[in-house]
Amino acid sequence: MKALSQNAKLAVFFVAALALLALPLIAAQFGQGWVRIMALALLYVLLALGLNIVVGYAGLLDLGYVAFYAVGAYMFALLASPHLTDNFEWIKAAFPQGLHTPIWIIIPLAAFLAGLFGVVLGAPTLKLRGDYLAIVTLGFGEIIRVFMNNLEYPINITNGPRGVSQIDAMSIGPLNFAKTLHLGGLEIPSVALYYYLFLLLVIGSVIVCTHLADSRIGRAWMAIREDEIAAKAMGLNTRNLKLLAFGMGATFGGVSGAMFAAFQGFVSPESFTLAESVMIVAMVVLGGLGHLPGVVLGALLLSALPEVLRYVAGPLQQMTDGRLDAAILRQLLVALAMIVIMLLRPRGLWPQPEHGKAAPVPVPVGDK
């Protein structure tokens, strides 16, 4: 029976893997826009998995998570575009061919830099919890965005509100993600290559998060989430564990930001607003706090729903003779959908199974 169950699981995984590999090639038949939506949805899954470490595992409400996303994006934009060589002569002299940082340097560097920012954010907030922690992290996210918007004078580092453009596409050896890949008679477009790269990162992140949840550190985070005072009384170093949660979660945001910059080819402060941070938190809460399948489901739903609702908002706008703005109407529909889901499923779409409750004792027939 166990062998049969194991074979069934392997069959499900095999079918799911084939479906995920074939999905962008099938969607490309209806337009590259659909593949782009799927690739961006995977980026949001990566962001939600990182925030789930902070919010879902450790119970620390972080409303400034988009700051780490911005740090990773701007880091890649500056290291893979002509912006620094055009504005700093000494960098141009050191790199006459320009800065073209490879992926095996970008990903560890983005993870390290964002993780460092996560520790910097976590250090002054160790004694805060609940609403106070949310307000401080919200302010941190806005500070980073304002810095990116103003670091143009007197030294042009981020190019201010105009953003950084001409960013190199991602490349792995001879594989350039900006060009269509030809495999025999099969053509894989650039956007599908990014989809596969993001899918690989998501799978790796799910494996890391699964092992984290089952590790001693993961159980310690969950103890802090349930009762920090009791966790401290049991000898847990809550200070270091909180810093580790902030740093570990931030690394996912940094890597996601670097991938976003390569995918878009352009970054600006408008991509890292408070609304983005709130949306990522909503993905985690809507899917199910601390439960990886639920977090993935929530991220896919909330990232794809606004794009799908474009096809609903357009006809509704025509019905009102253009009196309703399509963008505002789309946001309204997303908000209504979130409200309905949370009213019907207050613990999330796919919540974590409850532990610690005694199983109901069956009552003998004769005692009824």
Side-chain angles (χ1 to χ4, degrees):
M1 189 71 180
K2 290 183 178 179
L4 181 63
S5 177
Q6 188 69 20
N7 291 334
K9 288 180 180 179
L10 289 174
V12 170
F13 285 138
F14 183 71
V15 172
L18 287 179
L20 289 172
L21 291 174
L23 193 58
L25 301 178
I26 297 172
Q29 306 302 318
F30 303 95
Q32 298 297 330
W34 289 103
V35 186
R36 187 176 183 83
I37 290 172
M38 291 190 297
L40 286 173
L42 289 176
L43 263 186
Y44 278 108
V45 170
L46 195 58
L47 284 168
L49 288 172
L51 184 60
N52 184 58
I53 293 176
V54 184
V55 179
Y57 290 170
L60 305 170
L61 184 55
D62 185 359
L63 291 181
Y65 190 73
V66 76
F68 313 124
Y69 190 38
V71 166
Y74 268 92
M75 186 215 68
F76 181 81
L78 295 177
L79 294 180
S81 74
H83 178 74
L84 290 181
T85 53
D86 290 346
N87 290 277
F88 298 91
E89 290 296 330
W90 63 273
I91 296 180
K92 187 174 183 179
F95 300 93
Q97 301 299 323
L99 290 168
H100 304 285
T101 312
I103 187 173
W104 53 84
I105 295 178
I106 282 294
I107 291 183
L109 191 57
F112 171 77
L113 187 62
L116 182 62
F117 271 79
V119 173
V120 170
L121 166 64
T125 63
L126 292 174
K127 294 184 179 180
L128 301 177
R129 61 183 72 173
D131 300 338
Y132 301 101
L133 177 61
I135 292 171
V136 171
T137 54
L138 184 153
F140 180 80
E142 285 299 289
I143 287 170
I144 294 296
R145 185 185 63 81
V146 171
F147 261 93
M148 300 301 184
N149 204 38
N150 289 281
L151 283 179
E152 185 178 10
Y153 299 104
I155 302 174
N156 190 356
I157 298 177
T158 63
N159 209 29
R162 292 174 294 175
V164 181
S165 58
Q166 301 180 35
I167 301 172
D168 294 341
M170 194 64 69
S171 61
I172 302 176
L175 178 60
N176 190 339
F177 284 71
K179 300 177 181 178
T180 300
L181 178 64
H182 298 274
L183 289 176
L186 183 64
E187 292 187 355
I188 304 177
S190 169
V191 67
L193 292 176
Y194 276 107
Y195 167 88
Y196 290 127
L197 175 62
F198 298 162
L199 179 62
L200 188 64
L201 288 172
V202 166
I203 292 172
S205 300
V206 168
I207 294 172
V208 170
C209 290
T210 302
H211 283 81
L212 269 177
D214 295 334
S215 68
R216 293 178 63 184
I217 294 175
R219 292 195 295 270
W221 281 337
M222 294 173 194
I224 294 173
R225 178 190 67 191
E226 298 301 328
D227 194 327
E228 184 177 347
I229 296 175
K232 189 179 294 186
M234 293 300 294
L236 294 179
N237 190 331
T238 56
R239 174 183 175 276
N240 290 349
L241 286 167
K242 283 184 179 181
L243 286 178
L244 183 60
F246 272 113
M248 184 71 73
T251 58
F252 287 75
V255 173
S256 302
M259 297 300 107
F260 173 76
F263 184 55
Q264 292 285 98
F266 171 79
V267 295
S268 68
E270 284 75 18
S271 299
F272 312 105
T273 60
L274 174 62
E276 283 290 309
S277 197
V278 171
M279 183 63 76
I280 300 168
V281 174
M283 292 173 181
V284 177
V285 176
L286 184 72
L289 279 171
H291 194 219
L292 289 181
V295 170
V296 172
L297 177 63
L300 289 174
L301 182 65
L302 280 189
S303 57
L305 188 61
E307 302 301 328
V308 173
L309 285 177
R310 289 181 188 273
Y311 300 96
V312 179
L316 288 177
Q317 186 184 27
Q318 293 177 0
M319 291 171 58
T320 58
D321 297 327
R323 287 191 291 269
L324 286 176
D325 182 77
I328 296 175
L329 182 59
R330 190 160 53 97
Q331 292 176 359
L332 176 64
L333 292 174
V334 171
L336 287 175
M338 290 174 60
I339 291 171
V340 170
I341 291 172
M342 292 310 295
L343 286 175
L344 297 177
R345 304 281 295 181
R347 294 185 60 239
L349 287 171
W350 197 340
Q352 191 169 16
E354 294 186 15
H355 298 287
K357 289 188 176 181
V361 179
V363 181
V365 179
D367 295 344
K368 285 185 179 180

